[in-house]
Amino acid sequence: MKFFLVTVTSLFLQPYQSAVAGKVLLLPLPFVDSHWFAQLNLGRALVKRGHVVTALVSHDSLSERQTPEFSFETFEDQGTRAKLKTIEGRMFSNSEELSLVGMVQGKLALADELMKHCDLLLGDSALIQRLRDSRYSVMITETFFPCGAILAAYLRVPNVVHIRVDSFTIDFSATGVPQPPAYVPWLWLPFTDQMTFLQRAQNAILSTLVSRVLQGIVSSKFDGLASRYLGVDEALLSVMSRADLWLYRFDHVLDFPAPSMPNMIHVGGLNVRQVIALAEDLEAFVQSSGEDGVVVVSFGSMVKRMTMERAEVMAAAFAQLRQKVVWRFTGVKPTGLGSNTKLMAWLPQNDLLAHPKTRAFISHAGYNGLSEALHHGVPMVCMPFFGDQPTNAARVVARGLGVKLEFTTVTTDELYKTIKHVISNNSYRETAARLSRLHRDQPQSPMERAVWWVEHVIKHGGLPHLRARAVELPWYQYYLLDVAAFLLAVCSAVLGTAWCSCLFVCRMCCRKSSDKVKQQ
């Protein structure tokens, strides 16, 4: 009887499983490794669910990104990816703050090379034919590389956008979601949802003007590709607005509340994976810290160099700590490095942050590390550089998860005292533990939620009913200017009629009064 029930259940579930399982096309950003790592985790989770995942990359990046879980499609990029990596190195690889003007100039150069990279991809007719013949069920893209939206529309495949923050800020226009500047801080400003008057003014002006500039930059580059491959009436914004699903790496615990649409799913902490044991030598080093514990230091995969002056400042501060220090560092070994500090070119960040002996995390406030620290309840010392990092650091401070320092001006003594304060002050540890419990207390993990929604798109062939129609409306309809004009006209007509009626009555009364006087 048990065998019979198992067999019948398997036969009953088999059609459903085959209907849900699909072919997934993943188009990662050609550069910025942290973006690739996030998409890699999502793709691996889909593979575990029985889906077939294919990543589309340039031929010269295949050796760096090849993984046995995925299939790969490649194309010749004629050196555009190498140029993108060069621009990335010029903008981000040095541990220096990026000015607003420098950011706009960098985005202009990136958009130009991304457009060329995309044109080579879409222009590879043999590749496009292979992709069409494969009949993919869904495509996973990101807004930093707008080519994904154009390719998804070209292949007529549902588009799922995987995003933390849009470098060109076109996602707000594409989703149609309002962002009230009174309480929603722009993701490029280090503000909270409780802003002063000057901050609100700055938030309103920059979120409007700079967003228009960045959207204009990317649209000027990709509108031509959209019209060439999809039709003369198509533009990048209209193509991106047809995305079926937006997987936002936002967290309700850390990020501030803001308006959202039904197809915008929050999956903050998506990158946090299952903890595995440390290597023997690293575990021995961590255990040697005793009751004092360990401080983990990492400034991410993008920052590959820092000046010797800054490295010496940090090394001297770490040398004074009673704790052991594990530092992800690839430069020349600082002369003031203490015996308590272990340098590593790469470190298992998630596993170290999960270790019970970890006392603090010193970071640039990149989202991957920040979400891991939040998940494992580790206080932070943030020293942000560029992008969304200052905003992330502001959220850390606002939630009481840690403190913020200026990387370019911090002194050895200031850094040492700040780390010591964060470790010795129980409020940071208690707040981190409380926020960790709050973050974990959800019916699905972020990865389970993301996978469920991707499978929901696959099962139903798209989710157009969840898309807001805001983008399709002319600007005068979106802002209800036609309605305002109609109401103004009606009110004017009513008031005008009332005024004319009053004048008429007054004149009639005056005329009767005048006639009566004449008769007397």
Side-chain angles (χ1 to χ4, degrees), residues 343-512:
L343 300 182
M344 300 182 68
W346 177 88
L347 54 80
Q349 183 172 279
N350 181 68
D351 306 322
L352 276 169
L353 292 175
H355 201 284
K357 286 191 175 295
T358 299
R359 300 292 182 259
F361 180 40
I362 302 174
S363 166
H364 62 311
Y367 185 72
N368 286 345
L370 188 151
S371 57
E372 290 170 353
L374 172 66
H375 183 84
H376 298 300
V378 179
M380 297 183 64
V381 176
C382 299
M383 289 185 277
F385 303 133
F386 44 72
D388 64 333
Q389 295 165 15
T391 304
N392 294 339
R395 283 155 167 74
V396 168
V397 175
R399 298 305 190 202
L401 185 61
V403 298
K404 175 188 173 183
L405 294 174
E406 295 297 330
F407 182 87
T408 55
T409 59
V410 67
T411 63
T412 295
D413 187 57
E414 182 183 8
L415 179 58
Y416 165 71
K417 289 181 178 179
T418 301
I419 299 172
K420 185 178 178 181
H421 170 72
V422 169
I423 294 175
S424 60
N425 193 328
N426 290 332
S427 65
Y428 292 106
R429 172 66 63 177
E430 292 170 357
T431 299
R434 178 179 58 84
L435 295 179
S436 175
R437 292 193 300 269
L438 194 60
H439 168 73
R440 292 168 181 250
D441 189 15
Q442 42 186 318
Q444 289 177 303
S445 71
M447 183 62 76
E448 290 172 342
R449 185 160 55 251
V451 169
W452 187 93
W453 276 99
V454 172
E455 291 181 340
H456 191 54
V457 173
I458 294 173
K459 182 179 179 181
H460 297 284
L463 305 175
H465 63 289
L466 296 182
R467 292 200 297 262
R469 302 304 171 193
V471 182
E472 300 173 6
L473 298 176
W475 62 272
Y476 62 87
Q477 289 185 13
Y478 181 84
Y479 291 105
L480 293 176
L481 297 183
D482 53 345
V483 175
F486 172 75
L487 294 177
L488 181 61
V490 170
C491 291
S492 299
V494 171
L495 292 175
T497 302
W499 177 257
C500 291
S501 300
C502 290
L503 286 178
F504 177 77
V505 171
C506 289
R507 288 174 181 174
M508 293 299 295
C509 292
C510 290
R511 181 178 299 176
K512 289 181 179 180

Side-chain angles (χ1 to χ4, degrees), residues 107-108 111 168-170 173 208-223 236:
K107 296 293 174 63
L108 185 61
F168 297 107
T169 69
I170 200 171
S173 298
T208 301
L209 296 183
V210 179
S211 291
R212 292 292 181 269
V213 171
L214 294 177
Q215 290 179 26
I217 288 174
V218 70
S219 296
S220 67
K221 302 298 181 181
F222 285 88
D223 281 350
L236 177 61

